[in-house]
Structure formats: structure tokens, C-alpha cells
Amino acid sequence: MIFKVFFSVLVVLTPATLSAQSLGFYEAQQLALANSRQLDAQSAAFVAAQELVIVAGERPDPMLKIGIESLPVNGADRFSMSRDFMTMRMIGLSQEFTRGEKLKQRRERMVREAAVVSANKGLLKSEVLRGISKAWLIKYYLEKQQQLLETYLIETQQQLTASKAAYRGGKVTQSDLIRAQSDVLLLEDQLEALSREVSKAQTVLTRWVGEENSSRMLLGKPDFHKTQLMLDDLNSELAELPALIVQERLIELADSDVRLAQSNKKADWTAELSYAQRGSEFSDMVSIGVSVPIQWDQARRQNRELAARQAKLEQARAERDEQVFIETAELRALIDDWRSGLSRLQRYNEQLLPLSMARQQSALASWRGGRGSLTDVLSARRALLDTHLQTLQLEVQTALAWAELEFRLSKESRSKS
């Protein structure tokens, strides 16, 4: 009779109805990616960084100068722009000529910064996929446990009703009746606690797919018995992990900063051209000049900037090395958890569950034959329920370890390998 009520409900629903009302695992992932404003923010940041690549490769705008020079402010010629030979109306242009090498370094730095933004988007996508995967799996298996408890509760309530009639007929003892009542109360309490957990899980799922979608029936459990990761070649997998890709891009950005600091040790120069108009009886003037910064104290300025950039580069490399240790340890732990879960799950499905079912059937047969007690039947049924719940809990733990492994790489990263 176990699961009879549950399956009787499912047969009423046609495949088309289930498809329309259900939320599949991979559909939930796509909804989460589409709903993520963080991903939208990263896309906008990437566009901004690409635009700045062009800006970084351009020289500064020319400077237009307009003014009056040597205007008298006292005496008979005060404020006259034509009587004093030194008074001039001036217009001019100046242009800073940034060296081509420096422009190249600036442009390269912005390219590296755009690459960091792109890598961060890949890391964020991986986090979204793992987050929605865990939220979907947790709610899915909590609902499975809820359905299981509801089925057992219905059967236990039916057993209690039958026990009351049998007690009045003297076929069961008062102890058997009390045990049946206790089992009903315990199952009702478990269901109440589990309902709270299901509600919490739906709240988490809503954060990823929205309230309307989180209320849909969860169907289409993924196959967590295999993974796309090459478990026997972790070094190649590490190179594609988004977290480490971000670290590599940060190293490249820091290296670009070092080269740009080295380029700043060579000063740029500025050219100026101006035309000055004087009174009608005086000649007009043209001025041409070049100005160059004098880096007279590089040890306290440019060299210190270069040293700071080099220290930042070493910092980025050290953080990358530390991240490699962290990711390697986490990957190996997840692989061990996943493989152990699969092995234990096989033992539960092939040995422990069949044994628990056989025990219940034996206790039920003995009771019906007058050789056993109702308490033995209830104990065997409770043991079978516990084994079912332990199997579901082990399955969700294994599925969660798989999800952490499977989606540590973004789909784009995997498709390029």
C-alpha cells in the first residue's frame, strides 16, 4: 500500500499537464540566468570597459588658448588694446604628444581590465548556476520527503482506525493501540517541521526564478551519476575554473600596470603655437614652443610608482597561488563526497531498502497469521520509513555535491575546451 495514494494522484495528471505546470532543473537554470541583474551589471561593465579601450589609445584633446597679454591698467593708456606696443590679442593651440609606446600600454591595460570584467562575469555565471541548482535540488527532495511522509501518515492513520476496531474486539492490546497513536502524532509533527523547511526552500528558489515559477511542480531530476569534469586530469580542469581565470586576468592587469609605470619614466612633450595681434602701427607676433616635464627626482616619484606596481603584481601572483590550493582542495573533497555518496546510495537502494521492505512484509505476515504483534508491524514500518528518508537525504547530499562539481565551470568555458 506504500505510495498507493501518491501514485493515484499522478495518474490523473497527463504528460501535457505536467509539462505545462512543472519546472525542470535546466529550465530553472535558464530562468535564473535570465533574471540575474548581477549578470546584466557585468555585461554593462564589460561594454563600458571596451569603450574605454578606444579612449585609452587616443592622445589628449588639443588646448585652445584665447587671451590678452600685457594690457595696461593705469596711466594714460590704461585698458587700451591698441596704443601700447606690448598689448596683444592672442589665440593659440597646444597639443600634448603622448609617446606611441605609452598609448599602446594604456590601451593594453584597458584591454586587460575588460578581460577581468569578462572573467568576473564567467565566475558570477558559475555561482548563479550552482546557486539555482542547489535551490532546485533542495526543494525537490524536501517535497519528495514530504510526499513520503504524507503517504506513510495516511497508512498509519488507516492502521490506527483498524487497530481501534481490533482493540474493541480483543485482537490487539492497549500497548499496540498506544503505539499506533504515537506513530500518527510523530508523523504529523515531522510533516509540520518539514512543511516549514519546504516553505524556506521555496523562498530561496523564488530568489532565483521569481515567485510565479517557484510555485510550479518540480520535475525532471538531472542525472547526477556522471559529470562533465575530467576527474582524472584535475590540472586541466583547474585552468578552466572561473575563480582561477579571474586570478590570471588580474595578474595580466597588474603586469600591464607595471609596463605602464615603466613607460611613465619617459616624459611626454607638448607643442604650442600662438598668434598675437597688436595695434595697427605694430607688427603681429607668432610664438612657437615645446615644453617637456623635467623628471628631476625619479627616485621619489616614478621609481616609487613602478615599485608599487611591481608589488601589486607579486600580490596578484601570490593570491593566484593560494586560490589554486583552495580550489584543488575543494575539488578533491567534492569528488570524494560525490563518489562516496554514489557508492552509499547504491548500497541503500540495492541492499538496505529491500531488507527493510522484507522485514515489514515479514512482520505484517506474522501479525496476520497470529504469530506476531502489531507493535512489530509498526516498528518495521517505522524502520522502513526511516530507511526511505535516509535514502532521500543521502541522494540530495550526493546531488548537491554533483551540482557543485558540474557547474564550477561555465558552459562557455566548457564549450571552448
Side-chain angles (χ1 to χ4, degrees):
M1 287 181 69
I2 300 297
F3 308 116
K4 183 178 179 181
V5 176
F6 174 57
F7 284 115
S8 66
V9 174
L10 285 184
V11 296
V12 178
L13 299 175
T14 64
T17 303
L18 289 174
S19 177
Q21 296 178 348
S22 65
L23 176 65
F25 179 79
Y26 293 103
E27 182 188 357
Q29 286 188 333
Q30 295 307 310
L31 285 171
L33 291 174
N35 292 340
S36 175
R37 295 295 291 160
Q38 289 180 306
L39 284 174
D40 293 340
Q42 288 297 314
S43 296
F46 182 69
V47 171
Q50 284 186 312
E51 294 294 334
L52 289 176
V53 170
I54 300 174
V55 176
E58 298 296 317
R59 289 190 173 93
D61 292 328
M63 297 287 293
L64 173 65
K65 296 182 178 181
I66 299 176
I68 299 174
E69 294 185 0
S70 303
L71 179 69
V73 294
N74 57 15
D77 295 334
R78 64 181 180 275
F79 302 124
S80 171
M81 299 182 62
S82 60
R83 291 196 294 271
D84 192 296
F85 76 97
M86 294 184 64
T87 302
M88 296 178 287
R89 293 177 290 273
M90 184 271 294
I91 183 171
L93 286 174
S94 66
Q95 173 67 61
E96 178 183 307
F97 288 91
T98 310
R99 292 178 301 106
E101 178 187 357
K102 184 178 291 186
L103 291 176
K104 179 182 177 182
Q105 296 298 340
R106 288 177 180 175
R107 187 165 49 246
E108 180 67 19
R109 189 199 178 282
M110 289 309 305
V111 169
R112 298 303 182 190
E113 189 165 320
V116 170
V117 174
S118 178
N120 278 322
K121 183 179 179 181
L123 176 59
L124 179 59
K125 180 176 181 180
S126 172
E127 292 172 351
V128 169
L129 288 175
R130 282 181 284 162
I132 178 58
S133 297
K134 289 187 285 186
W136 192 97
L137 289 167
I138 288 171
K139 184 169 185 283
Y140 175 85
Y141 281 102
L142 283 174
E143 289 179 341
K144 287 295 182 185
Q145 294 179 48
Q146 190 177 42
Q147 293 162 3
L148 182 65
L149 284 174
E150 288 171 349
T151 302
Y152 270 89
L153 178 60
I154 291 173
E155 290 215 346
T156 305
Q157 288 171 335
Q158 293 172 347
Q159 185 69 61
L160 176 60
T161 301
S163 299
K164 289 179 179 178
Y167 174 70
R168 289 190 294 269
K171 295 181 180 180
V172 300
T173 65
Q174 186 178 21
S175 177
D176 290 336
L177 183 61
I178 293 173
R179 174 61 188 272
Q181 291 173 331
S182 297
D183 281 359
V184 169
L185 291 173
L186 285 173
L187 285 170
E188 288 175 344
D189 184 69
Q190 280 185 276
L191 266 173
E192 183 179 348
L194 194 57
S195 296
R196 290 197 299 271
E197 295 300 316
V198 171
S199 179
K200 292 178 184 177
Q202 179 157 338
T203 300
V204 176
L205 188 62
T206 300
R207 174 254 185 272
W208 295 105
V209 299
E211 186 171 355
E212 179 180 353
N213 291 310
S214 67
S215 301
R216 293 160 60 186
M217 183 185 300
L218 302 186
L219 292 177
K221 178 182 67 175
D223 181 7
F224 58 83
H225 294 82
K226 58 184 178 180
T227 177
Q228 65 174 336
L229 296 179
M230 294 180 289
L231 303 182
D232 297 327
D233 188 10
L234 280 184
N235 288 334
S236 62
E237 295 295 348
L238 285 170
E240 295 184 40
L241 288 178
L244 292 182
I245 292 176
V246 170
Q247 293 296 327
E248 292 293 340
R249 298 297 175 266
L250 288 172
I251 289 174
E252 293 171 357
L253 178 60
D255 186 60
S256 293
D257 284 334
V258 170
R259 292 197 298 271
L260 184 57
Q262 290 172 332
S263 181
N264 285 337
K265 295 184 70 175
K266 296 181 180 179
D268 301 318
W269 55 279
T270 302
E272 297 184 11
L273 172 65
S274 61
Y275 181 86
Q277 184 184 52
R278 298 194 292 177
S280 57
E281 64 272 26
F282 307 114
S283 300
D284 293 342
M285 300 285 188
V286 174
S287 299
I288 300 174
V290 175
S291 58
V292 181
I294 301 175
Q295 298 181 350
W296 62 274
D297 195 5
Q298 285 197 358
R300 295 178 60 86
R301 294 177 182 167
Q302 287 79 14
N303 288 355
R304 287 184 178 273
E305 179 189 1
L306 177 58
R309 297 304 182 187
Q310 289 171 334
K312 286 288 186 181
L313 176 58
E314 289 306 312
Q315 176 188 353
R317 286 171 176 165
E319 290 175 347
R320 185 272 316 274
D321 293 342
E322 181 66 19
Q323 193 67 36
V324 169
F325 295 144
I326 294 172
E327 293 291 337
T328 302
E330 289 184 357
L331 271 179
R332 287 176 176 167
L334 285 169
I335 292 169
D336 289 342
D337 289 344
W338 176 61
R339 285 175 169 169
S340 174
L342 290 178
S343 177
R344 293 180 61 203
L345 199 54
Q346 184 178 8
R347 186 180 302 112
Y348 268 81
N349 286 322
E350 296 180 1
Q351 299 178 37
L352 294 175
L353 270 176
L355 285 173
S356 294
M357 290 178 182
R359 176 190 172 188
Q360 187 210 29
Q361 292 170 359
S362 176
L364 186 59
S366 296
W367 179 62
R368 287 173 177 171
R371 300 184 304 275
S373 66
L374 180 60
T375 298
D376 293 337
V377 175
L378 295 174
S379 295
R381 179 179 294 166
R382 184 68 198 189
L384 179 57
L385 171 60
D386 289 341
T387 305
H388 270 296
L389 290 174
Q390 289 169 9
T391 303
L392 286 174
Q393 289 167 0
L394 178 58
E395 188 169 333
V396 68
Q397 291 169 5
T398 306
L400 290 174
W402 166 83
E404 278 287 345
L405 278 173
E406 184 75 358
F407 303 107
R408 289 183 88 83
L409 299 181
S410 64
K411 292 183 178 179
E412 287 83 355
S413 177
R414 171 55 62 188
S415 64
K416 294 176 183 178
S417 61

